[in-house]
């Protein structure tokens, strides 16, 4: 069992930066990869970024590539999403997720992940 808690969301102005954190607890040793997803008002949940437990492989959605940076610190059992040049369209609830196996689905699909946090709200004003 893995528990995930997101934090760091808030209200910022377009062009600002913000860093989200995801604290993991429980059986983190069984985690293969972690990811960030987001869901904007009126839209479906979408992939943002993913990273393997070792930190050796990362990926980003085209909409955030070049602006967001995913990282993790295994000594703190935490994952981070550094967001820069924020845009109003980045406004969404951001979710942390983990998967225990590299098999069973692509890293950018919701169905590939086993555990989810409750989300943290990011609002970017014009």
């Amino acid at each position: 069992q893995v528990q995930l808690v997101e934090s760091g969301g808030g209200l910022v102005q377009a062009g600002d930066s913000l860093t989200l954190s995801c604290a993991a607890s429980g059986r983190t040793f069984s985690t293969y990869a972690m990811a960030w997803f987001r869901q904007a008002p009126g839209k479906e949940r979408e992939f943002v970024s993913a990273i393997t437990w070792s930190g050796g492989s990362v990926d980003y959605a085209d909409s955030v590539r070049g602006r967001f940076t995913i990282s993790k610190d295994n000594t703190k059992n935490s994952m981070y999403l550094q967001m820069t040049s924020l845009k109003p369209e980045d406004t969404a609830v951001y979710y942390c997720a983990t998967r225990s196996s590299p098999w069973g689905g692509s890293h950018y699909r919701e169905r590939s992940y086993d555990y989810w946090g409750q989300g943290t709200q990011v609002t970017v004003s014009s």
Side-chain angles (χ1 to χ4, degrees), residues 12 23 27 29 77-78 80 82 88 91 109 122:
V12 298
R27 301 178 183 178
F29 57 85
N77 294 316
S78 299
Y80 309 96
Q82 295 175 286
T91 295
R109 302 296 188 187
V122 173

Side-chain angles (χ1 to χ4, degrees), residues 30-119:
S30 66
T31 300
Y32 167 68
M34 303 181 72
W36 290 99
F37 284 76
R38 67 185 183 186
Q39 187 166 19
K43 294 187 176 182
E44 297 297 317
R45 191 173 299 183
E46 65 175 355
F47 171 76
V48 177
S49 184
I51 185 169
T52 52
W53 186 248
S54 67
S57 183
V58 300
D59 192 28
Y60 299 92
D62 289 343
S63 60
V64 306
R65 185 173 289 111
R67 297 188 298 119
F68 291 9
T69 301
I70 190 171
S71 63
K72 67 193 308 294
D73 185 345
N74 287 352
T75 65
K76 299 180 179 180
N77 294 316
S78 299
M79 176 178 67
Y80 309 96
L81 185 67
Q82 295 175 286
M83 305 181 292
T84 63
S85 301
L86 284 164
K87 307 173 181 179
E89 52 262 44
D90 293 318
T91 295
V93 175
Y94 284 70
Y95 297 91
C96 176
T98 70
R99 64 188 298 180
S100 59
S101 173
W103 318 115
S106 298
H107 62 272
Y108 50 84
R109 302 296 188 187
E110 289 183 64
R111 63 177 182 269
S112 299
Y113 294 86
D114 307 308
Y115 302 101
W116 295 82
Q118 295 301 305

